[in-house]
């Protein structure tokens, strides 16, 4: 085996060991993090409501620390029929809202 082949083999083994250790380490950290539980509610649109206002209100309750635009995008994905109407909300429209809270043991 040439020197270059030996070096390539050592690098490959090091990479594989690093990936395995990284995966095992990530699982250990992931298991120690608090679990999140989805809460889904139906929100009835009131006068003056906007997608932004509703997203901001429920984002405060969400434990994932999403940016407002990420939460807003999730809200639109949950309510495609309203989002398809160019995000025009009408009083009485019902929207699905989902946010996450930390599970209690």
């Amino acid at each position: 085996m040439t020197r270059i082949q030996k070096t390539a083999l050592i690098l490959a083994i090091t990479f594989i060991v690093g990936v395995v250790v990284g995966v095992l380490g990530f699982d250990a950290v992931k298991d120690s993090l608090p679990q999140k539980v989805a809460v889904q509610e139906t929100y009835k649109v009131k006068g003056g409501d906007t997608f932004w206002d509703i997203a901001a209100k429920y984002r405060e309750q969400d434990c994932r620390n999403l940016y407002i635009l990420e939460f807003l995008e999730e809200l639109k994905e949950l309510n495609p029929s309203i989002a398809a109407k160019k995000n025009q909300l009408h009083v009485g429209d019902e929207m699905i809202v989902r946010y996450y809270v930390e599970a209690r043991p």
Side-chain angles (χ1 to χ4, degrees):
M1 188 178 288
T2 68
R3 184 173 181 212
I4 293 175
Q5 289 173 325
K6 287 179 185 177
T7 303
L9 181 61
I10 290 170
L11 287 174
I13 291 170
T14 304
F15 175 76
I16 291 169
V17 168
V19 168
V20 169
V21 169
V23 167
L24 294 175
F26 178 74
D27 283 344
V29 170
K30 183 179 75 173
D31 290 342
S32 69
L33 294 174
Q35 297 299 313
K36 296 172 179 69
V37 177
V39 177
Q40 188 162 303
E41 297 179 8
T42 302
Y43 178 81
K44 195 169 215 173
V45 175
K46 299 172 189 70
D49 280 343
T50 65
F51 258 109
W52 186 276
D53 296 334
I54 297 166
K57 173 184 174 182
Y58 283 95
R59 180 184 162 265
E60 290 175 7
Q61 299 176 49
D62 195 291
C63 67
R64 296 176 296 163
N65 297 321
L66 296 178
Y67 291 109
I68 184 70
L69 292 176
E70 292 173 305
F71 197 88
L72 183 64
E73 196 57 39
E74 284 187 8
L75 187 61
K76 289 179 181 181
E77 288 173 9
L78 286 170
N79 298 281
S81 61
I82 295 174
K85 296 187 294 186
K86 298 186 179 180
N87 303 329
Q88 293 181 3
L89 302 178
H90 301 289
V91 174
D93 282 349
E94 291 189 351
M95 299 176 62
I96 297 169
V97 180
R98 184 182 308 136
Y99 57 93
Y100 290 81
V101 296
E102 290 183 7
R104 296 192 178 147

